């Protein structure tokens, strides 16, 4: 534990709750048009600041939230991901997002598999969901590799009421089978 939540490690990554020193990474993440294509578009430092502190606050109030994803070899903040329960959402979501320099290296899958394992084994969840824009082929492929299945379109609550996404789901029972593909969490 780092004070507000656990620290998870794989061969290449450290997942830990957000900390003040992550602000530069959050600013870069929120400002990048490629990263934010399906997350509402780029935003400035004020939104990044709120996002980082929102995640830290969720750790205090819910006992879980997205982790900061740290590349172990460099110590660099490379993204955020993990379980989150927004108000009136269709389930506890395990989400993910990395800075573009880290795309295509299998790190999003590695981080998300660890976060999914945490959601099922530490939080005791019965199921997790992913809400994915239907145009986001990369995230759909990652959800498939995790073993999640597409259930179809769903409308999100305010302030996303005009947003339709595909709902993906995986149960704890399915994860017990799917997790065997990820030797770094066994």
């Amino acid at each position: 534990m780092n004070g507000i939540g656990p620290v998870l490690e794989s061969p290449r990554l450290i997942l830990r709750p957000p900390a003040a020193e992550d602000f530069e990474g959050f600013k870069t993440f929120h400002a990048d048009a490629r990263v934010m294509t399906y997350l509402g578009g780029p935003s400035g430092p004020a939104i990044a600041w709120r996002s980082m502190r929102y995640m830290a606050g969720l750790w205090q109030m819910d006992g879980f939230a997205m982790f900061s994803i740290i590349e172990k070899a460099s110590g660099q903040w490379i993204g955020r991901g993990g379980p989150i329960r927004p108000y009136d959402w269709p389930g506890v979501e395990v989400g993910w997002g990395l800075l573009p320099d880290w795309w295509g290296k299998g790190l999003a899958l590695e981080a998300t598999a660890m976060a999914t394992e945490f959601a099922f084994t530490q939080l005791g969840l019965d199921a997790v969901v992913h809400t994915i824009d239907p145009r986001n082929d990369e995230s759909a492929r990652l959800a498939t590799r995790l073993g999640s299945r597409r259930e179809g379109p769903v409308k999100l609550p305010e302030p996303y009421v005009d947003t339709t996404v595909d709902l993906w789901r995986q149960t704890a029972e399915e994860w017990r089978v799917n997790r065997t593909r990820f030797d770094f969490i066994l």
Side-chain angles (χ1 to χ4, degrees):
M1 302 285 277
N2 77 345
I4 64 171
V7 175
L8 311 178
E9 291 192 41
S10 70
R12 301 184 295 167
L13 300 174
I14 298 169
L15 275 64
R16 60 160 174 72
E21 63 264 22
D22 299 339
F23 183 51
E24 289 302 315
F26 270 85
K27 278 193 327 188
T28 302
F29 185 92
H30 280 270
D32 192 289
R34 294 169 295 170
V35 169
M36 299 303 290
T37 298
Y38 305 111
L39 299 174
S43 57
I47 298 298
W49 179 264
R50 285 187 205 112
S51 174
M52 184 179 74
R53 279 159 169 69
Y54 166 71
M55 293 299 165
L58 288 175
W59 276 104
Q60 290 288 358
M61 295 185 81
D62 291 346
F64 66 92
M66 287 194 173
F67 294 93
S68 282
I69 302 171
I70 311 300
E71 196 266 335
K72 194 182 274 188
S74 68
Q76 184 176 344
W77 188 98
I78 65 169
R80 84 309 174 260
I84 187 170
R85 182 179 41 210
Y87 178 77
D88 209 20
W89 218 246
V92 174
E93 176 157 12
V94 173
W96 58 84
L98 297 181
L99 293 170
D101 287 351
W102 301 94
W103 293 357
K105 301 175 187 333
L107 296 170
L109 179 64
E110 189 171 321
T112 306
M114 287 193 311
T116 301
E117 175 75 358
F118 169 78
F120 287 125
T121 62
Q122 300 302 309
L123 302 178
L125 298 178
D126 294 328
V128 297
V129 300
H130 319 291
T131 56
I132 301 174
D133 186 295
R135 299 165 297 173
N136 190 343
D137 295 333
E138 292 83 7
S139 285
R141 280 193 293 277
L142 192 150
T144 299
R145 290 180 68 198
L146 282 170
S148 298
R149 62 188 161 9
R150 182 182 174 274
E151 293 189 342
V154 65
K155 294 292 255 175
L156 296 176
E158 289 290 343
Y160 309 104
V161 72
D162 293 329
T163 304
T164 299
V165 295
D166 285 334
L167 184 68
W168 293 72
R169 183 179 309 276
Q170 183 163 187
T171 67
E173 183 176 321
E174 292 165 331
W175 179 247
R176 281 191 285 280
V177 173
N178 294 329
R179 72 185 292 277
T180 62
R181 293 183 267 165
F182 307 107
D183 61 350
F184 54 86
I185 59 173
L186 295 178

